[in-house]
């Protein structure tokens, strides 16, 4: 890891990375197999912030900081692996790879004190995740909306407005450079952790 820590992928612990390692790993791990209609591919870090904002916007009541943090970290194991497998590839990777990613996800949840997904909460998360995916497919990768439904089998709507544009005043749907993605992800992570700490003090 850039911090000097070492992560044993086959026997991970919650202490094998620091926050900056994770942010950089996610910023250098790319969605859609690294393909993009833009000069840069879309990082998992940028996608993760987008999903958090979509989940927040869809909730009729404010989400707790720990729930927002779980949304932000929903793909954190991919940043530790440095690999985001495209969906058609996943069945061929086998049960060993699935078990490895589940161990890493468990370590992430332990490190950051995240509650396990309930079926209802996971369904709400997947709605935000698929909404992000459908929108990325069109605006970032270059698929047509009909192809998103028929070829990619993603039934979610395609957003016109990028939820990140208003927050960061960036060009809608443009993938960020890795340094920018890492900086913004780390800032969001630090912010949610501070909110959780403040809640713990009040309790």
């Amino acid at each position: 890891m850039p911090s000097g820590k070492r992560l044993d992928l086959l026997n991970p612990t919650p202490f094998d990375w620091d926050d900056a390692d994770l942010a950089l790993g996610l910023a250098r791990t790319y969605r859609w197999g690294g393909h993009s209609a833009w000069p840069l591919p879309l990082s998992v870090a940028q996608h993760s912030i987008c999903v958090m904002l979509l989940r927040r916007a869809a909730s009729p009541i404010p989400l707790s900081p720990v729930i927002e943090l779980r949304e932000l970290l929903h793909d954190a194991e991919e940043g530790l692996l440095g690999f985001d497998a495209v969906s058609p590839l996943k069945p061929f990777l086998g049960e060993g790879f699935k078990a490895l990613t589940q161990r890493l996800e468990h370590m992430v949840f332990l490190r950051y004190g995240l509650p396990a997904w309930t079926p209802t909460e996971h369904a709400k998360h997947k709605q935000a995740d698929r909404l992000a995916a459908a929108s990325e497919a069109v605006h970032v990768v270059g698929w047509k909306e009909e192809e998103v439904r028929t070829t990619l089998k993603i039934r979610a709507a395609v957003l016109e407005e990028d939820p990140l544009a208003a927050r960061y005043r960036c060009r809608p749907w443009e993938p960020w450079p890795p340094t920018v993605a890492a900086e913004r992800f780390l800032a969001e992570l630090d912010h949610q952790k501070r909110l959780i700490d403040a809640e713990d003090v009040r309790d």
Side-chain angles (χ1 to χ4, degrees), residues 6-27:
R6 295 174 182 265
L7 170 66
D8 182 346
L9 291 175
L10 301 183
N11 188 31
T13 81
F15 312 107
D16 294 345
W17 70 91
D18 65 20
D19 291 348
D21 291 329
L22 179 60
L24 188 59
L26 287 166

Side-chain angles (χ1 to χ4, degrees):
M1 295 289 175
S3 65
K5 295 187 175 185
R6 295 174 182 265
L7 170 66
D8 182 346
L9 291 175
L10 301 183
N11 188 31
T13 81
F15 312 107
D16 294 345
W17 70 91
D18 65 20
D19 291 348
D21 291 329
L22 179 60
L24 188 59
L26 287 166
R28 291 176 174 174
T29 302
Y30 298 118
R31 286 176 58 77
W32 303 99
H35 298 288
S36 172
W38 296 82
L40 291 173
L42 179 71
S43 71
V44 178
Q46 185 172 346
H47 163 80
S48 298
I49 299 173
C50 181
V51 170
M52 182 187 70
L53 296 179
L54 289 173
R55 177 73 177 87
R56 178 189 296 169
S59 178
I61 60 173
L63 298 174
S64 68
V66 72
I67 298 303
E68 291 205 353
L69 181 59
R70 186 174 61 187
E71 293 294 337
L72 182 67
L73 294 171
H74 76 274
D75 281 335
E77 75 281 356
E78 295 175 0
L80 299 176
L81 277 172
F83 177 56
D84 176 15
V86 294
S87 294
L89 184 61
K90 289 179 180 179
F92 296 94
L93 295 176
E95 289 302 315
F97 181 77
K98 182 178 180 180
L100 185 151
T101 58
Q102 287 176 340
R103 282 197 299 272
L104 287 172
E105 181 183 65
H106 182 58
M107 291 303 109
V108 169
F109 275 49
L110 282 177
R111 178 186 176 96
Y112 295 101
L114 304 178
W117 297 103
T118 67
T120 298
E121 290 170 339
H122 194 255
K124 292 177 180 178
H125 158 70
K126 292 305 294 183
Q127 288 177 346
D129 199 27
R130 291 190 183 106
L131 183 58
S135 305
E136 292 165 4
V138 171
H139 298 298
V140 177
V141 189
W143 291 90
K144 295 180 173 59
E145 289 194 33
E146 179 63 22
E147 292 173 328
V148 172
R149 292 187 294 272
T150 59
T151 303
L152 300 181
K153 308 299 183 185
I154 302 175
R155 305 299 181 187
V158 174
L159 296 171
E160 286 302 320
E161 293 187 11
D162 180 358
L164 298 173
R167 185 174 185 85
Y168 294 102
R169 297 185 179 182
C170 56
R171 188 174 179 184
W173 305 111
E174 181 176 14
W176 302 334
T179 53
V180 173
E183 178 183 310
R184 290 173 176 171
F185 183 92
L186 185 59
E188 294 286 356
L189 177 58
D190 287 343
H191 176 67
Q192 296 300 333
K193 288 172 61 180
R194 286 196 299 271
L195 291 177
I196 292 169
D197 289 344
E199 281 192 343
D200 290 343
V201 169
R202 289 196 297 270
D203 291 343

